[in-house]
Amino acid sequence: MKSMGRKPIYGVCHICGVEGPLTFEHVPPRGAFNDKPVIKSIFENFITKGPDEEIKGKIQQKGAGAHTLCSSCNNDIGAWYGNDFIDWTYQALVLHDKSDGKGSIYYPFHIFPSRVLKQIITMFFSANGEGFARGNPNLVRFVLNTDHKYLEPKIRIFAYLMTGSRMRQTGIAGLGSTDGRFTIMSEIAFPPVGYVMTLNSDPPDPRLVEITHFSKYGYNDFETIFLRFSKLPIHLSLPGDYRSKEEIMKAYEENTQNRD
């Protein structure tokens, strides 16, 4: 009897916009420590959980990601940028292990900056809906053209070393602060590095290190770049929240007292 294969998943590619069968895109790439099972659950389940609360959902054996890209975009981008992003991630892990978490630390990264940044932006295409590409055609060209340099001024990319008990991935969202600032951002947090993309906004936290300048380099430019990373804790699924567990519990207790 002929075995039944899995049915193709059809949709619109989150980058090129072509409609057809979609391939599974690991976010981050599989070689960047994304080869273990993860829990896949709806956003409402994540957002209501405290730092130590268990999140329930479907186990996704192949790692974090989804069917978001056509085979052409998936294969081309993986070949162009994937291995160099993985190398960057391994260097970040070394820094993560060296840092004692008591402050920022300067560290030299020996990388192809353009390739690293273009893979990061590819991840943000997958993290957002298909409409994100339609609204940002220049960003599509930046990723699909290996020689394309410089991002639009409205797009800024930040990174940080992450600790804590959560991973999180959010599409474009608005984030208000107590001092009146409003940030439009998307975030991908997967150990050892978290990434934030902002649109016409300042970053949600001044400790994030900006890597937008990676876009000024050409595809074949190999550079040594010193970056000063901070370790930021991820205990909740709220985008832009880098409070310690103690700060979260204190805020919870204060809110409870105010309600009483």
Side-chain angles (χ1 to χ4, degrees):
M1 185 174 64
K2 185 177 179 180
S3 61
M4 298 292 291
R6 293 186 177 179
K7 292 183 179 180
I9 295 177
Y10 289 88
V12 176
C13 177
H14 286 208
I15 295 181
C16 71
V18 171
E19 187 171 1
L22 298 177
T23 59
F24 187 89
E25 170 70 356
H26 283 84
V27 179
R30 188 173 185 271
F33 310 110
N34 186 17
D35 57 353
K36 302 293 190 296
V38 297
I39 296 175
K40 186 176 182 179
S41 184
I42 61 174
F43 182 69
E44 287 74 11
N45 287 348
F46 284 106
I47 208 71
T48 58
K49 299 298 183 181
D52 295 318
E53 292 185 272
E54 179 184 4
I55 295 176
K56 296 182 179 180
K58 182 181 179 180
I59 302 296
Q60 186 163 272
Q61 297 291 341
K62 62 180 69 177
H67 288 79
T68 57
L69 304 185
C70 67
S71 60
S72 178
C73 284
N74 200 337
N75 293 334
D76 287 345
I77 289 170
W80 293 336
Y81 316 131
N83 286 337
D84 296 293
F85 174 84
I86 291 168
D87 186 56
W88 146 274
T89 304
Y90 272 79
Q91 292 181 56
L93 179 63
V94 172
L95 173 58
H96 188 283
D97 292 342
K98 286 184 176 180
S99 173
D100 59 7
K102 296 181 180 179
S104 300
I105 182 172
Y106 276 106
Y107 187 80
F109 286 83
H110 310 288
I111 56 173
F112 289 92
S114 174
R115 302 181 193 184
V116 171
L117 185 65
K118 291 186 180 194
Q119 180 63 58
I120 292 169
I121 292 173
T122 297
M123 291 155 51
F124 279 111
F125 276 116
S126 286
N128 285 274
E130 60 192 57
F132 181 71
R134 292 195 297 270
N136 294 277
N138 289 332
L139 207 57
V140 173
R141 285 191 287 272
F142 179 77
V143 167
L144 293 183
N145 184 341
T146 58
D147 295 322
H148 195 100
K149 297 165 67 175
Y150 299 105
L151 294 174
E152 294 179 275
K154 72 174 184 177
I155 302 289
R156 299 172 69 187
I157 307 295
F158 301 85
Y160 59 94
L161 297 177
M162 59 173 291
T163 64
S165 57
R166 289 280 190 267
M167 296 180 293
R168 63 189 182 209
Q169 179 176 308
T170 58
I172 295 297
L175 179 68
S177 65
T178 55
D179 60 4
R181 290 183 295 110
F182 189 77
T183 301
I184 301 174
M185 60 173 285
S186 180
E187 184 174 20
I188 299 168
F190 192 100
V193 189
Y195 301 99
V196 169
M197 171 189 286
T198 63
L199 282 76
N200 291 317
S201 305
D202 289 325
D205 192 296
R207 294 171 293 178
L208 302 179
V209 62
E210 186 161 8
I211 58 173
T212 310
H213 61 284
F214 284 12
S215 69
K216 73 179 182 181
Y217 294 96
Y219 179 76
N220 290 315
D221 291 339
F222 184 82
E223 299 289 337
T224 297
I225 299 179
F226 282 80
L227 296 173
R228 187 175 186 176
F229 273 109
S230 294
K231 273 188 175 178
L232 302 182
I234 304 294
H235 292 295
L236 298 178
S237 298
L238 294 168
D241 190 321
Y242 310 108
R243 292 175 296 172
S244 67
K245 190 180 297 185
E246 292 73 23
E247 290 173 322
I248 294 170
M249 298 312 298
K250 181 180 178 181
Y252 174 78
E253 292 172 359
E254 291 175 349
N255 289 336
T256 301
Q257 292 173 356
N258 291 335
R259 286 198 300 268
D260 295 340

